[in-house]
Amino acid sequence: MTLRCLVADDVRHNRSLAIHWLHELGYSTMEATDGEDAWRIVKQYPLDLVITDIEMPRQSGLELIQHLREHDDPNVAHTPVVVMSSLQDDLLETAALHFGATIVLHKPLDREDFLQAANAALAKDASEVRGKPDPDTLLDEESHPGVISPTLRRIIDRTRDRS
């Protein structure tokens, strides 16, 4: 059985690279330029894995993950998600995992790390996926000390405003 993967990134080079590597493993892939396009695909096709950037136009990767985790269909809600981001922020990994990402990678992507993360995400137990995230908890500096970048704060705020 061929595994189906969606790659969402607004940078074509990053999408192409990820898709090329996934094809080497025999994955069937689809691509989206932002979270909104990705969400449309998720609702139409059953997927085994979602790989997403965080900072994208129209809808961020965090918003996409939030939609996945809140979906009524457990197959959608428990879809493993690998986040790949070039955002330099102390709380990036914490935020992505808080929203329900399975694994977080930092760009520039390394082929071996990427393929290992994709395989590891598929092997994770779906019951480990968290419930509905609380963006306010993430922005509480007592709970999560560290420097949060204005970009990540904006993305979290936007995600909170849309929920």
Side-chain angles (χ1 to χ4, degrees):
M1 177 175 85
T2 301
L3 296 173
R4 281 182 265 199
C5 179
L6 170 64
V7 177
D9 196 313
D10 57 320
V11 177
R12 182 177 35 187
H13 172 75
N14 293 332
R15 283 193 319 271
S16 297
L17 191 60
I19 287 168
H20 175 74
W21 290 339
L22 291 166
H23 284 171
E24 288 179 10
L25 291 179
Y27 286 67
S28 168
T29 58
M30 289 175 262
E31 60 184 294
T33 58
D34 63 24
E36 194 172 298
D37 288 340
W39 182 236
R40 229 181 335 270
I41 292 169
V42 167
K43 293 187 298 184
Q44 292 179 345
Y45 303 98
L47 297 168
D48 298 295
L49 179 65
V50 171
I51 297 175
T52 185
D53 187 16
I54 291 289
E55 188 178 8
M56 297 182 287
R58 294 194 304 163
Q59 190 177 103
S60 73
L62 292 183
E63 291 168 285
L64 173 61
I65 296 168
Q66 186 174 40
H67 286 313
L68 284 163
R69 299 304 175 233
E70 292 175 348
H71 200 277
D72 293 336
D73 181 343
N75 292 322
V76 174
H78 293 149
T79 303
V81 178
V82 174
V83 165
M84 54 182 190
S85 180
S86 59
L87 189 59
Q88 298 298 314
D89 191 291
D90 293 346
L91 293 179
L92 171 66
E93 189 165 351
T94 300
L97 294 173
H98 180 82
F99 273 85
T102 311
I103 295 176
V104 179
L105 293 173
H106 297 278
K107 295 176 188 172
L109 296 174
D110 172 80
R111 180 184 177 278
E112 294 307 314
D113 290 343
F114 177 83
L115 295 176
Q116 185 177 22
N119 286 328
L122 286 166
K124 284 233 179 196
D125 182 353
S127 66
E128 294 178 28
V129 174
R130 293 173 176 73
K132 185 175 180 179
D134 179 8
D136 291 328
T137 304
L138 252 181
L139 296 175
D140 175 31
E141 293 182 19
E142 287 183 28
S143 301
H144 299 286
V147 178
I148 186 167
S149 70
T151 302
L152 184 58
R153 181 177 296 279
R154 177 182 47 77
I155 292 168
I156 292 170
D157 282 341
R158 190 171 83 189
T159 303
R160 176 181 45 208
D161 293 344
R162 289 188 179 181
S163 60

